[in-house]
Amino acid sequence: LYPYQKIGVEFLDLSGGRAIIADEMGLGKTIQALAYIKHRNFERTLVISPASVKFVWDGEIKKWTNLSSVIIDSKTKLHEIDAGIKIWVLNYDILRKHLSELMKIRFDCVIADECHLVKSPAALRTKAFRQLAGHAKSVIMLTGTPLLSRPVEMFTLLSTIDKKTWSNYYEYTRKYCAGHQTRWGYDVSGASHIDELHEKIRRYFLRRRKEEVLIDLPEKIRIQVPVDLSADVKKQYDEAESDLGAYLKKHEGKQPAAIAKTLQAEKLARLNVLRQLCAQGKIPAACEIIESIIETGEKVLVFASFIDPLEKILTRFKNKAVMITGKTPVEDRGGIVRQFQTDGNVQIFLGGYNSAGVGISLTSATNFIAIDFPWNPSQL
């Protein structure tokens, strides 16, 4: 472990194993959690993660520990799992399906990876997770993005860790979210007394940024590259901007009923089409930059909101590139990540913000290209 990771394990120990590790992505939250499990010699731990990250956990467990593990899917029969297996890993999507059986099993520790996915108290998976967490003596939450936009999103996480202190939603939101009544209802979108909130949660909330702990890393160099759209893409762009219905009929072959449905949210639909056309128009420039990077022997991450640009870049670079999008089977993703991380001939990782934006380590790359920006800035 790096020194800061040892501090993370000590922090978990001092918190009584009920804490949130919110280090920036790439700082090794998984290995800190595994080290704590090993340190405490837990008999059985349940890890809940996004589906695409289950196999990452399996790989990390095998790489760093001698603990036994099992990956649970929707078809797994829990009563057939060997009682001696130390770490059980399943995804949020199937948590409710297995909940009744899981509640009968004693877990020393429950880990919620990418725990911001259970920030909504009304969500069914949040309710299922909180039921399980209530029966475990240790609850560890891991996330690189604990506050996507406002303090109210922290309440569910905090009340799961420390229900006694954070039991009153309205008291919390009035004090720390500037909660107030409006003619449209109760508004909790603000922020207030943030210094006090920070001080109050510091005993079970740990966040380190890369620049704080990896002092050998240079600061990021950010380069904006202006791109002129080619004549054919610019023509399509102008058509979509002036008459979206005609564009959809001409270029996407949509029928009147489908066009009418799209135009029900015309402004949003037009903006999305224009974004997609802009992304397509950047492919030649992106390929040129990628070529210059891989010629130096370095690796590069290329992310986009749309699949089409990524597929075209993959066709251009063939076996020098690997790709994860929403189409990629979950069971194949861990192998793709390992190939990029370990194979010197694979220099390009192509990914979608949603499908490859969380839960995986791509630390062998030294460059990042954003073909476009996602709707939600926090995804960056």
Side-chain angles (χ1 to χ4, degrees):
L1 298 177
Y2 287 105
Y4 74 88
Q5 291 173 333
K6 293 180 182 178
I7 291 172
V9 178
E10 291 168 0
F11 177 82
L12 288 171
D13 213 19
L14 289 170
S15 72
R18 301 184 70 87
I20 303 170
I21 300 292
D23 292 343
E24 278 191 338
M25 288 181 65
L27 294 185
K29 294 183 287 293
T30 301
I31 197 173
Q32 292 175 69
L34 289 174
Y36 178 71
I37 292 169
K38 186 75 173 173
H39 167 64
R40 298 296 300 175
N41 196 27
F42 287 141
E43 283 299 312
R44 192 180 293 113
T45 295
L46 178 68
V47 176
I48 312 166
S49 75
S52 60
V53 185
K54 286 197 297 186
F55 297 93
V56 175
W57 271 93
D58 192 47
E60 293 291 286
I61 292 165
K62 288 180 171 61
K63 180 178 179 180
W64 298 111
T65 78
N66 59 357
L67 300 176
S68 54
S69 62
V70 60
I71 300 294
I72 298 170
D73 60 30
S74 59
K75 298 178 181 178
T76 303
K77 296 178 180 178
L78 300 193
H79 65 271
E80 294 181 356
I81 297 176
D82 186 336
I85 290 180
K86 298 288 189 181
I87 303 179
W88 299 26
V89 185
L90 83 164
N91 49 300
Y92 289 107
D93 303 324
I94 62 172
L95 180 57
R96 286 180 62 238
K97 174 181 172 61
H98 291 300
L99 181 61
S100 60
E101 286 189 83
L102 289 169
M103 290 294 291
K104 299 173 185 176
I105 301 167
R106 189 180 72 83
F107 291 101
D108 297 303
C109 180
V110 174
I111 296 175
D113 193 12
E114 306 298 345
C115 65
H116 52 274
L117 296 175
V118 287
K119 67 181 181 181
S120 171
L124 294 176
R125 66 181 171 194
T126 301
K127 293 177 180 179
F129 165 70
R130 284 168 66 90
Q131 276 188 263
L132 279 169
H135 289 270
K137 60 184 177 184
S138 180
V139 179
I140 300 173
M141 297 186 176
L142 308 175
T143 179
T145 53
L147 275 170
L148 292 182
S149 55
R150 48 185 72 95
V152 68
E153 297 178 356
M154 281 287 293
F155 178 78
T156 303
L157 307 184
L158 292 172
S159 63
T160 304
I161 291 291
D162 182 1
K163 189 174 182 179
K164 184 177 179 181
T165 302
W166 309 102
S167 60
N168 192 315
Y169 172 82
Y170 292 100
E171 182 181 313
Y172 175 91
T173 52
R174 281 196 302 270
K175 192 162 192 178
Y176 303 116
C177 309
H180 63 284
Q181 203 67 39
T182 72
R183 59 188 295 187
W184 298 282
Y186 188 54
D187 184 352
V188 295
S189 61
S192 50
H193 303 101
I194 296 302
D195 289 343
E196 179 184 328
L197 177 62
H198 182 268
E199 182 64 28
K200 200 167 182 178
I201 67 176
R202 64 185 301 174
R203 69 180 184 273
Y204 37 62
F205 186 93
L206 181 65
R207 178 166 175 81
R208 280 81 58 89
R209 302 176 67 87
K210 286 191 178 77
E211 57 263 32
E212 296 169 353
V213 295
L214 297 179
I215 57 176
D216 294 330
L217 284 180
E219 289 191 12
K220 287 184 178 64
I221 301 170
R222 303 178 189 272
I223 304 170
Q224 294 184 1
V225 183
V227 176
D228 284 327
L229 299 181
S230 61
D232 60 330
V233 176
K234 181 64 164 64
K235 182 180 178 182
Q236 290 185 52
Y237 186 100
D238 292 339
E239 289 174 0
E241 190 175 35
S242 61
D243 190 340
L244 181 60
Y247 169 86
L248 294 173
K249 181 178 180 181
K250 178 180 178 181
H251 294 283
E252 297 189 14
K254 288 194 174 183
Q255 299 303 309
I259 292 172
K261 185 176 181 180
T262 300
L263 294 181
Q264 288 176 0
E266 184 175 352
K267 291 183 179 180
L268 189 60
R270 177 181 286 110
L271 181 57
N272 207 46
V273 169
L274 298 180
R275 289 177 68 232
Q276 190 163 3
L277 286 168
C278 281
Q280 291 175 6
K282 297 173 190 174
I283 294 172
C287 288
E288 189 176 329
I289 297 169
I290 292 167
E291 192 73 61
S292 66
I293 290 171
I294 66 175
E295 282 178 357
T296 66
E298 295 184 14
K299 294 196 176 192
V300 59
L301 312 179
V302 185
F303 272 62
S305 301
F306 305 97
I307 293 177
D308 186 63
L310 299 174
E311 290 180 334
K312 284 185 167 63
I313 295 172
L314 181 64
T315 300
R316 162 73 176 77
F317 290 98
K318 299 187 174 98
N319 58 0
K320 292 182 180 179
V322 291
M323 181 170 73
I324 291 180
T325 68
K327 294 180 179 180
T328 309
V330 171
E331 61 269 23
D332 293 344
R333 299 184 183 192
I336 291 171
V337 171
R338 284 193 294 275
Q339 186 182 6
F340 178 76
Q341 287 284 82
T342 60
D343 189 339
N345 295 316
V346 178
Q347 296 175 267
I348 306 160
F349 181 94
L350 305 166
Y353 289 110
N354 288 327
S355 49
V358 296
I360 58 177
S361 295
L362 301 166
T363 50
S364 65
T366 49
N367 303 272
F368 176 92
I369 295 174
I371 299 292
D372 57 57
F373 285 170
W375 284 114
N376 188 342
S378 70
Q379 286 186 292
L380 287 171

